[in-house]
Amino acid sequence: ASPQRYDMVLSRLKVQSDDLLQWPVAGRTFKWFDLSFTQVDDRLFEGEQGKEWQAVRLSLEGTKVTGRSMESILKMPKLEELDLSLCDVHDSDLEGFRGNTRIKYLWLTGTKISDQSIEVLKTMRSLELLELSNTGVTQEGIKKLKRSLPKWKSQ
């Protein structure tokens, strides 16, 4: 028998932050929480109620979540995988990732980051997968990352 899984996949549904904030705190913990391409925004992670979300894998691809939510998201104690592809995330928004040892898989595809983020990303020694397609990160920046991240399997 396999262990019971607690996955919530709401991808591409007409879900907004206000809808999810009505859920009881006891119903906000998941192994995989997929909100990709929903209408979720930063309100989901703001305030006291927003601090109650827990996930091991969190997909926010194509949502309206911005860098304002990074501090709350990074407080998830078991977070290992984070997809921020196509979110409004900039170099300065990644500062909270500095030295993070829990995140193993990070998707930043289509974000507004550049080589300025290299110094922060280099400190994330547990990264195994880092996706940087369609960002401002140059080939030179990728070379620097490869030298600093021994576990990273580049695209």
Side-chain angles (χ1 to χ4, degrees), residues 33-76:
F33 195 21
D34 185 355
L35 296 169
S36 56
F37 301 103
T38 63
Q39 295 300 306
V40 167
D41 58 26
D42 290 318
R43 290 175 299 146
L44 186 64
F45 301 104
E46 292 175 343
E48 289 305 310
Q49 282 196 355
K51 295 176 184 174
E52 302 298 333
W53 296 104
Q54 298 298 322
V56 176
R57 299 172 58 205
L58 178 62
S59 179
L60 298 169
E61 179 180 6
T63 63
K64 296 177 182 180
V65 169
T66 70
R68 288 186 7 215
S69 293
M70 293 308 104
E71 184 178 348
S72 293
I73 290 169
L74 290 172
K75 287 182 180 176
M76 294 182 185

Side-chain angles (χ1 to χ4, degrees), residues 7-94:
D7 297 340
M8 180 62 64
V9 179
L10 301 173
S11 180
R12 299 188 186 275
L13 296 178
K14 293 181 182 180
V15 176
Q16 298 180 8
S17 294
D18 291 337
D19 302 323
L20 299 176
L21 286 170
Q22 294 179 34
W23 290 8
V25 171
R28 295 183 183 192
T29 300
F30 307 99
K31 285 191 176 182
W32 181 29
F33 195 21
D34 185 355
L35 296 169
S36 56
F37 301 103
T38 63
Q39 295 300 306
V40 167
D41 58 26
D42 290 318
R43 290 175 299 146
L44 186 64
F45 301 104
E46 292 175 343
E48 289 305 310
Q49 282 196 355
K51 295 176 184 174
E52 302 298 333
W53 296 104
Q54 298 298 322
V56 176
R57 299 172 58 205
L58 178 62
S59 179
L60 298 169
E61 179 180 6
T63 63
K64 296 177 182 180
V65 169
T66 70
R68 288 186 7 215
S69 293
M70 293 308 104
E71 184 178 348
S72 293
I73 290 169
L74 290 172
K75 287 182 180 176
M76 294 182 185
K78 296 181 180 179
L79 186 65
E80 293 180 1
E81 183 173 337
L82 179 60
D83 190 345
L84 296 169
S85 298
L86 304 174
C87 289
D88 189 19
V89 175
H90 301 257
D91 293 313
S92 60
D93 300 323
L94 296 187

